[in-house]
Amino acid sequence: MLELNLQNLHAALQDPILNIPVFHTEIMNRYPKAISFAPGAPNLDFAKDFTPADYIARFVKHLRDDRGLTAQQASNLLYEYGPSRGIINELVAEALRRDLGVDVAARSVVITVGAQEAMLLVLRALRRDAEDLIAVVNPCFIGFSGAARLLDVELVPVEETADGPDLDQLACACRQARAAGRRIRALYVAPDYSNPAGTLMDRGARERLLDLAAQEDLLLIEDNTYGFTVAPGAEVPAIKALDRDRRVILIGTFAKICLPGARVGLVVADQPVGPQGGGRVLADELAKLKGVITLNTPAVSQAVIGGMLLEHGGSIARTGAEKSALYRRNLNVMLDALDRHLGDGEGLPGGISWNRPSGGFFIRMRLPVRADAKLLESCAARYQVLWTPMSQFFLDGKGTNEIRLSCSYLDTEQIEEGVRRLAAFLRGLGA
Amino acid sequence: MLELNLQNLHAALQDPILNIPVFHTEIMNRYPKAISFAPGAPNLDFAKDFTPADYIARFVKHLRDDRGLTAQQASNLLYEYGPSRGIINELVAEALRRDLGVDVAARSVVITVGAQEAMLLVLRALRRDAEDLIAVVNPCFIGFSGAARLLDVELVPVEETADGPDLDQLACACRQARAAGRRIRALYVAPDYSNPAGTLMDRGARERLLDLAAQEDLLLIEDNTYGFTVAPGAEVPAIKALDRDRRVILIGTFAKICLPGARVGLVVADQPVGPQGGGRVLADELAKLKGVITLNTPAVSQAVIGGMLLEHGGSIARTGAEKSALYRRNLNVMLDALDRHLGDGEGLPGGISWNRPSGGFFIRMRLPVRADAKLLESCAARYQVLWTPMSQFFLDGKGTNEIRLSCSYLDTEQIEEGVRRLAAFLRGLGA
């Protein structure tokens, strides 16, 4: 009897719970000596200088000197449960003003456990029932599409062109949804070197997207994850900075250019909610939702990020300047190596091309053949170089001939050697 | 046009997104000088001795001395993204073995952002479709019922008696679900001084529950949150420690007796999943789900908890011993004061009674009148003492005449004075 019942139990647990892409880690693990352009991992050059205790002390000093807390009050803040919305919201709101020209009250900011939790919060807040849809750029960051799967939110893919989301397709999708009695509530877009495609939207494209959002009554979910990897002086305004009517929900993170392990992200949601004139904003609702996800973001983690910001004049851009410069150096080394090894096309099959992002972690490359697990396996075995098949980022089976390349965590010699191997592999495709 | 569209947008955001109880904070805030038995808040006596930097250093020493990491590798571990399952799993598995007699591999443990994230993970993993149900003790911790609402998981309330969940009612609910073509996948239960009811299940009740779970093919979700507030020597075995066939998923937290602000919790899920003999356990699936919720628990937060455990011989019980003793002292002061002020019944209306938990944070009290927001308001205004109406913890409108009392964060003088005021209020009810 017991055994039979356990059988039932196990049968009920047999299938994977969510079909989340696994990035072929089993293949990757079998080639530990390969040079991998697969993960968008942080560069560990900066880890040796990481001194959490100093940053926590800096934040405590700020609490006492600038915010007038007693030593006991400062200790309490690190020790006890904090408010769901966070304890570094003022610092963050000030940094967003300074760095991005995004001018919002601290109340409109919620500090989250990474951008990932922010995505989950926003998706849940915007899904009222099964008729609601969220549009996403296609290919799409799997953290966003995965969170949507977790919450059973139906996504509508909109092709990402070299300029950003295809606006005609988006408008068409909105019309089709309305005709079917449904509604696209928002579009998810990462305008600064998107993951996986490395696309940068220029100012004009951002303004056209805002216009279309107004026309179709859409919210925009702007993912700023790679926003601070741009070269100083070459910044394009955040969509949120161009937003005149609170259409944009901004999601950001300190993971890429401050501290990956802190798991501190943010969401700006200044949309009015509830009875008119009540003064409530969407961030208030998001903080309530956070109460049943993680309750609050760990205080020590927020303190480390707070201390980092304070050490750098309250600026995210300045906090991340060195790391951002290293990531750009790597990207340029890689693009230069690709040009040298592949630029003349000699011995290469036709149909190979790639984009040239000026920031972010990712290069999008098109191949003349199907880039699937089988090809990855043979590439790893014969050439000892790894990459990510792009198809797993697409929601509709596209991208079969594309790969994603990243070199964020490598050193320049590894990048050069990896590109040499990649070039040999690509030449082999023509044979 | 723009304005009209914004109107639509705002209308769509008008209703609260989830109906999560708000604990009458607006009433509480209006009486800042009242003594509050409402929140189950941590006692801040221990905050002044909290030195996160020391604990992080202790954990780093462990990484180098016991786990053979180089200084660079230890820095990397604090700096970079970690595995979704956590970086202190071995320490935690060892502590569970030592403290609770729960003998599981580190692989079956996932470190979460508080018990709250663990609840969300387990609920999502066990919900395969809308036909699935989860049974819960009624009254129920609102973090669990709130997470179920977030995920649209339908709950079945099972009355919590003084011995724990009503087993006849549970068996009946399982039969009814089957008859309706549905299925109760699991029961959520907090056997150690549940929040809100303060119920402790004895060993016999735990064994009977396990037997029923086997008979009905249920999983048990055991919430150990207040498990370490018991007096040394008076421990009742965790249900998971009595579990012979992996029916129990154990959820725990370091919040109550180690560090609230760390937001570090855990879930033990050693249930086999996937193809037989594949060696996969439910914890593997939970770690995958965590990848789209918070990705991983902040490394510095885990390091602080790891350091605390190491400082106390790898034992959660020893880490929390002082705090646990303080919480028991407070509870005993409160129970003693209730006896002195109310025990003789003089001048009191009939129908007042309360339980006498030997641990945890909560006392359950029955009143002869409806304990609603209106009564709370008048009690606060006239007697300057606050409590929590119990009805908001019930899923089915019950508990209207009950209140929850907590004194975890108060000092003994406040408790004595608060009970004096509460007694005056209760005497007033008879007038």
Side-chain angles (χ1 to χ4, degrees), chain B residues 27-306:
Chain B
I27 298 181
M28 316 248 176
N29 291 340
R30 259 183 286 122
Y31 300 95
K33 285 180 180 166
I35 292 176
S36 182
F37 293 134
N43 197 296
L44 294 176
D45 267 13
F46 299 100
K48 63 180 181 303
D49 304 325
F50 171 54
T51 50
D54 294 348
Y55 293 120
I56 294 170
R58 181 66 190 83
F59 182 67
V60 168
K61 181 172 153 44
H62 158 76
L63 292 175
R64 300 190 61 179
D65 295 354
D66 308 334
R67 283 171 57 184
L69 270 61
T70 64
Q72 177 69 55
Q73 287 169 329
S75 286
N76 289 354
L77 200 66
L78 291 190
Y79 177 84
E80 67 184 326
Y81 297 108
S84 284
R85 65 177 65 246
I87 60 173
I88 57 170
N89 307 49
E90 284 78 10
L91 287 174
V92 169
E94 208 181 298
L96 293 174
R97 204 171 299 125
R98 178 174 288 136
D99 291 323
L100 296 181
V102 169
D103 190 9
V104 293
R107 179 178 182 171
S108 295
V109 177
V110 179
I111 305 299
T112 54
V113 181
Q116 188 60 48
E117 190 192 22
M119 291 176 190
L120 195 77
L121 289 172
V122 171
L123 275 162
R124 184 59 184 82
L126 296 184
R127 176 189 167 278
R128 292 169 67 84
D129 57 46
E131 298 307 304
D132 280 336
L133 300 165
I134 303 285
V136 297
V137 284
N138 191 38
C140 181
F141 171 53
I142 58 142
F144 193 85
S145 52
R149 261 193 290 259
L150 185 102
L151 295 170
D152 294 323
V153 175
E154 198 175 329
L155 300 179
V156 178
V158 174
E159 199 180 335
E160 186 168 64
T161 71
D163 303 320
D166 182 320
L167 298 187
D168 292 338
Q169 205 186 326
L170 177 58
C172 180
C174 290
R175 280 194 301 275
Q176 281 177 342
R178 277 195 298 271
R182 306 185 69 177
R183 176 175 176 163
I184 296 181
R185 299 285 311 271
L187 168 77
Y188 165 81
V189 61
D192 306 292
Y193 314 113
S194 57
N195 178 3
T199 305
L200 175 71
M201 292 173 71
D202 65 22
R203 183 177 178 134
R206 291 172 196 230
E207 283 169 343
R208 288 189 297 278
L209 178 60
L210 269 172
D211 288 346
L212 183 66
Q215 188 187 308
E216 299 291 342
D217 196 11
L218 282 183
L219 289 168
L220 297 178
I221 306 167
E222 177 180 20
D223 178 353
N224 174 264
T225 296
Y226 296 96
F228 290 97
T229 62
V230 66
E235 298 91 348
V236 185
I239 308 180
K240 184 67 190 165
L242 302 170
D243 177 25
R244 293 287 159 265
D245 51 3
R246 304 194 188 181
R247 288 215 168 267
V248 181
I249 298 168
L250 178 73
I251 290 175
T253 178
F254 295 93
K256 300 301 165 191
I257 46 88
C258 295
L259 177 62
R263 306 299 306 127
V264 176
L266 65 102
V267 52
V268 174
D270 58 349
Q271 288 70 27
V273 295
Q276 223 166 10
R280 285 183 68 76
V281 290
L282 183 58
D284 298 323
E285 291 291 317
L286 296 181
K288 260 171 69 184
L289 292 180
K290 184 173 161 67
V292 295
I293 297 174
T294 60
L295 200 55
N296 54 256
T297 304
V300 286
S301 233
Q302 293 187 72
V304 168
I305 294 297

Side-chain angles (χ1 to χ4, degrees), chain A residues 1-2 4-20 22 40-50 52-53 56 72 75-76 78-82 113-114 116-118 120 124-128 142-143 145-147 149-152 183 185 213-219 245-247 253 255-256 258-263 271-276 282 285-286 288-301 304 308 323 327, chain B residues 1-2 4-18 20 22 40-50 52-53 56 72 75-82 113-114 116-118 120 124-128 142-143 145-147 149-152 183 185 213-219 245-247 253 255-256 258-263 271-276 282 285-286 288-301 304 308 323 327:
Chain A
M1 175 101 176
L2 260 183
L4 182 70
N5 276 337
L6 261 182
Q7 290 293 325
N8 293 344
L9 200 64
H10 297 170
L13 292 170
Q14 193 131 0
D15 300 328
I17 293 157
L18 281 186
N19 188 20
I20 296 170
V22 291
N43 197 296
L44 294 176
D45 267 14
F46 299 98
K48 64 178 182 305
D49 304 325
F50 172 53
I56 293 170
Q72 178 69 55
S75 286
N76 290 354
L78 291 189
Y79 177 83
E80 66 184 327
Y81 296 108
V113 181
Q116 188 60 48
E117 190 191 23
L120 195 76
R124 184 60 185 80
L126 296 184
R127 175 189 167 280
R128 293 167 69 84
I142 58 143
S145 52
R149 262 193 288 259
L150 186 102
L151 294 170
D152 294 324
R183 177 174 174 162
R185 300 284 311 271
Q215 188 186 308
E216 300 291 341
D217 197 11
L218 283 182
L219 288 167
D245 52 2
R246 305 193 187 182
R247 290 217 166 264
T253 178
K256 300 303 165 190
C258 296
L259 177 62
R263 307 298 306 127
Q271 288 70 27
V273 295
Q276 224 167 10
L282 183 58
E285 291 290 317
L286 297 180
K288 260 171 69 185
L289 292 179
K290 183 171 162 66
V292 294
I293 298 174
T294 59
L295 200 54
N296 53 256
T297 302
V300 285
S301 234
V304 169
M308 279 188 165
K323 296 184 181 77
Y327 290 128
Chain B
M1 175 102 177
L2 260 181
L4 183 69
N5 277 335
L6 261 182
Q7 289 295 324
N8 293 343
L9 200 65
H10 298 170
L13 293 169
Q14 193 131 0
D15 300 329
I17 292 155
L18 282 185
I20 296 170
V22 291
N43 197 296
L44 294 176
D45 267 13
F46 299 100
K48 63 180 181 303
D49 304 325
F50 171 54
I56 294 170
Q72 177 69 55
S75 286
N76 289 354
L77 200 66
L78 291 190
Y79 177 84
E80 67 184 326
Y81 297 108
V113 181
Q116 188 60 48
E117 190 192 22
L120 195 77
R124 184 59 184 82
L126 296 184
R127 176 189 167 278
R128 292 169 67 84
I142 58 142
S145 52
R149 261 193 290 259
L150 185 102
L151 295 170
D152 294 323
R183 176 175 176 163
R185 299 285 311 271
Q215 188 187 308
E216 299 291 342
D217 196 11
L218 282 183
L219 289 168
D245 51 3
R246 304 194 188 181
R247 288 215 168 267
T253 178
K256 300 301 165 191
C258 295
L259 177 62
R263 306 299 306 127
Q271 288 70 27
V273 295
Q276 223 166 10
L282 183 58
E285 291 291 317
L286 296 181
K288 260 171 69 184
L289 292 180
K290 184 173 161 67
V292 295
I293 297 174
T294 60
L295 200 55
N296 54 256
T297 304
V300 286
S301 233
V304 168
M308 280 189 164
K323 296 186 182 77
Y327 290 128

Side-chain angles (χ1 to χ4, degrees), chain A residues 150-181:
Chain A
L150 186 102
L151 294 170
D152 294 324
V153 174
E154 198 175 328
L155 300 180
V156 178
V158 173
E159 198 181 336
E160 186 167 65
T161 70
D163 303 320
D166 182 320
L167 298 188
D168 292 338
Q169 204 186 325
L170 177 57
C172 180
C174 290
R175 281 194 300 276
Q176 282 177 343
R178 278 195 298 272

